[in-house]
Amino acid sequence: MISSVCNVRKFAIPVVFTLLLSLSVCSELRVLVRLNDGKITEEILEADSEKDIIKVEFKQRDGTLITFLSDFKRHVKIFRALVLGEPERGQTQYQALCFISRLDHGELIPSHAMARLRQKNPHVVRSAEEVHGVERLSMNAVVNMSISWHLSTHIRNVCREAQDLVYTRQQDVKHWLDRGVEASIFKVLPQSLDVNGLQSCNSTTDPWQPCACSYKLNLEWFPCQLKYCRGQGSSPYKCGIKSCSKGYQFDFYTPHKQLCLWDEDS
């Protein structure tokens, strides 16, 4: 589990959702969210407007811990899944997966707005107002963890359990290189390891054979857009947020099927 993005004492904030006028730098928000399987989980949203980051964290029904961190300063988003292992099948206690991609403008509300967000009814179970489709990402490059701070200082902290298997996309690598990021951070996988040319793990019988693994996750509730209201004056003012949900499917190379057992039932 990673530490809080806020280096202050945590407190429960008593999301309808409102934006306060106070200049909060760092905050934590706990929201009850209904997952796509109907189960309810508590989602923890943290924002630090000084570091310009937002972190979303929650547990799935199977116990997997999902962490999503948006670094607005570096236009980077980090997905991490701590998947519970199956010791009876020779796995460790848990397996860490980490995926890095480009953060586009307007995907979430700004961190300073998130830091000021409060909910009036914390016991209400939330569902997203707008449901987006599933984005499929072919992760065909890896990130060098030892110098990942050149891309984002948060990668090492979030992805440390994943060790050397921190994946990204070649098209995102090109985007970052065009903006001056150090090229030595990235290693594009050879064509022989491209997921499009490998046998899928769910059709592989040999547990030690390299294969193309897929991992799916859903962000069931996150503040994606600010809402504006009109008062007596002519200028609109910020008065709340619109919530969204979005699914992701990551396709990536794994050195053997034993590291992709969840894909058997896909």
Side-chain angles (χ1 to χ4, degrees):
M1 207 177 280
I2 72 174
S3 60
S4 167
V5 302
C6 306
N7 295 319
V8 296
R9 183 183 177 186
K10 290 186 179 182
F11 54 92
I13 300 175
V15 195
V16 186
F17 289 82
T18 59
L19 290 163
L20 300 186
L21 295 177
S22 61
L23 298 177
S24 300
V25 172
C26 201
S27 71
E28 178 185 281
L29 190 68
R30 293 176 178 263
V31 183
L32 294 178
V33 176
R34 190 176 303 280
L35 300 175
N36 60 0
D37 61 4
K39 300 297 181 180
I40 296 170
T41 191
E42 183 180 63
E43 201 172 84
I44 303 173
L45 300 97
E46 295 181 338
D48 188 325
S49 58
E50 196 171 77
K51 295 178 180 178
D52 205 8
I53 59 175
I54 291 176
K55 188 186 81 171
V56 180
E57 193 164 78
F58 63 94
K59 274 191 177 182
Q60 296 184 149
R61 182 183 180 184
D62 62 0
T64 298
L65 180 67
I66 300 295
T67 303
F68 170 66
L69 188 141
S70 298
D71 181 347
F72 292 89
K73 284 184 179 179
R74 304 307 300 269
H75 307 286
V76 169
K77 55 187 177 188
I78 307 168
F79 300 86
R80 186 198 65 177
L82 290 182
V83 184
L84 293 180
E86 300 181 43
E88 68 278 6
R89 302 182 67 179
Q91 290 189 321
T92 55
Q93 183 179 1
Y94 64 84
Q95 181 181 346
L97 304 172
C98 222
F99 307 104
I100 316 294
S101 64
R102 181 177 66 188
L103 177 66
D104 293 320
H105 177 73
E107 286 192 57
L108 294 91
I109 66 172
S111 61
H112 64 81
M114 181 67 214
R116 295 161 50 197
L117 198 63
R118 304 294 183 266
Q119 66 174 324
K120 293 181 178 178
N121 302 302
H123 302 297
V124 174
V125 178
R126 308 291 171 181
S127 295
E129 298 169 67
E130 187 172 298
V131 179
H132 295 172
V134 176
E135 182 179 1
R136 189 167 187 174
L137 301 95
S138 181
M139 313 305 284
N140 47 14
V142 293
V143 177
N144 184 339
M145 280 282 284
S146 64
I147 52 175
S148 61
W149 57 270
H150 285 286
L151 179 58
S152 170
T153 57
H154 304 286
I155 294 174
R156 189 169 183 83
N157 185 34
V158 177
C159 298
R160 62 176 179 267
E161 295 95 344
Q163 299 178 356
D164 296 327
L165 298 179
V166 179
Y167 294 92
T168 188
R169 297 188 298 172
Q170 192 169 353
Q171 64 195 74
D172 291 332
V173 170
K174 184 180 184 305
H175 170 83
W176 291 320
L177 293 180
D178 289 344
R179 281 151 183 78
V181 175
E182 177 60 46
S184 59
I185 299 174
F186 311 105
K187 179 183 177 182
V188 176
L189 294 174
Q191 191 67 33
S192 60
L193 301 182
D194 188 280
V195 292
N196 295 317
L198 286 172
Q199 186 176 359
S200 64
C201 291
N202 62 9
S203 64
T204 303
T205 56
D206 182 355
W208 305 109
Q209 180 177 323
C211 53
C213 185
S214 289
Y215 188 79
K216 304 177 184 70
L217 65 83
N218 284 294
L219 296 180
E220 299 291 352
W221 192 98
F222 61 92
C224 56
Q225 190 174 321
L226 294 172
K227 286 182 178 178
Y228 291 84
C229 299
R230 286 190 176 274
Q232 294 181 346
S234 57
S235 299
Y237 63 93
K238 299 171 187 175
C239 58
I241 58 99
K242 180 172 74 174
S243 59
C244 294
S245 70
K246 184 172 181 178
Y248 296 87
Q249 177 176 327
F250 302 96
D251 300 322
F252 59 99
Y253 160 81
T254 187
H256 47 82
K257 178 182 176 173
Q258 185 73 3
L259 296 174
C260 187
L261 295 181
W262 61 80
D263 206 16
E264 291 181 340
D265 300 324
S266 299

